[in-house]
Amino acid sequence: WFMHVPTDGLPYPLLSICAVAPWQLFAYTLTGASQSLVAEQNLITKVYFPRLVLPLSKMLSGVADFVIAMALLFGLMGCFRVIPSLHVWAFPLFMVLSLIAAVGIGLWFAALNVRYRDVGHALPFLTQIWFFATPIAYPSSLIPESWRLWYGLNPMATVVEGFRWAFFGTASLTVEMVLLSLAVSGTVFISGLYYFRCMEETFADVV
């Protein structure tokens, strides 16, 4: 569009907002979960409750913002007279994938941030790098064909492309890419949950 970025036949606002909506959900959940224990340290040291509640609660706030972003997307689709593709039923599945990835990484960072506060300072930088490594402002068609499978190592690349495929049927999404992202997200989530539970008893003493 005005940046001369190929849009795969879509108006650029639709291409970008369709990607920004799940990215905001991911970034908000990741950041909130990562900071949740340190932010509520007074509560943790005074009251006993399952610490897992704190990072998971950030997911609910992210979902509320996501609903607003999706309303904006549908409004723009109406303005540009773009009809959703027949795959639109699949976008909640990619939304769940983004939450699994965000919560899994957030659990790792939340537990590490209690003991190593520098982790919290590094998070904004990591999130910014991740943003540019994800096809949000550009389509995945710019990525060489031989690299697209390995692009699935970034779960958010699959999520963004999944949203574009679900709404517009234009993304270069493959089953192999989806399966790779599922494997990565599932591994990060399970390992993050395990590490969080192992460290849970020390939070009140260290935070």
Side-chain angles (χ1 to χ4, degrees):
W1 217 41
F2 59 89
M3 295 187 298
H4 304 291
V5 174
T7 62
D8 295 340
L10 290 172
Y12 186 78
L14 290 182
L15 181 83
S16 58
I17 291 178
C18 187
V20 167
W23 172 260
Q24 285 184 330
L25 174 63
F26 170 81
Y28 185 94
T29 302
L30 172 58
T31 302
S34 300
Q35 302 287 353
S36 59
L37 299 180
V38 173
E40 300 294 342
Q41 56 183 309
N42 292 332
L43 183 61
I44 291 175
T45 55
K46 293 178 182 178
V47 181
Y48 175 76
F49 61 94
R51 312 307 190 198
L52 194 59
V53 170
L54 291 176
L56 291 181
S57 66
K58 302 304 178 181
M59 178 177 63
L60 299 178
S61 300
V63 170
D65 289 343
F66 174 77
V67 171
I68 297 174
M70 291 305 297
L72 177 60
L73 173 61
F74 280 111
L76 281 175
M77 290 175 67
C79 290
F80 285 104
R81 298 181 180 179
V82 174
I83 300 174
S85 77
L86 296 178
H87 309 130
V88 69
W89 58 269
F91 89 85
L93 302 179
F94 293 102
M95 170 188 166
V96 171
L97 177 59
S98 71
L99 289 175
I100 292 174
V103 172
I105 300 169
L107 290 176
W108 272 105
F109 273 87
L112 289 170
N113 196 30
V114 170
R115 188 174 296 272
Y116 309 105
R117 297 301 174 87
D118 289 342
V119 171
H121 299 307
L123 183 61
F125 177 74
L126 173 64
T127 304
Q128 186 175 24
I129 294 297
W130 203 328
F131 176 88
F132 289 110
T134 303
I136 294 174
Y138 57 92
S140 66
S141 57
L142 291 179
I143 307 300
E145 188 75 30
S146 58
W147 284 82
R148 289 184 194 171
L149 172 60
W150 300 110
Y151 216 38
L153 290 171
N154 174 6
M156 284 309 297
T158 297
V159 169
V160 166
E161 290 304 285
F163 265 67
R164 288 172 176 160
W165 171 78
F167 281 98
F168 311 121
T170 58
S172 305
L173 194 67
T174 64
V175 174
E176 293 80 7
M177 185 176 175
V178 173
L179 292 177
L180 183 57
S181 291
L182 283 172
V184 170
S185 299
T187 300
V188 170
F189 179 82
I190 293 171
S191 61
L193 181 61
Y194 177 78
Y195 181 71
F196 188 94
R197 295 305 297 269
C198 288
M199 300 298 294
E200 188 172 7
E201 293 182 358
T202 68
F203 290 158
D205 298 327
V206 179
V207 73

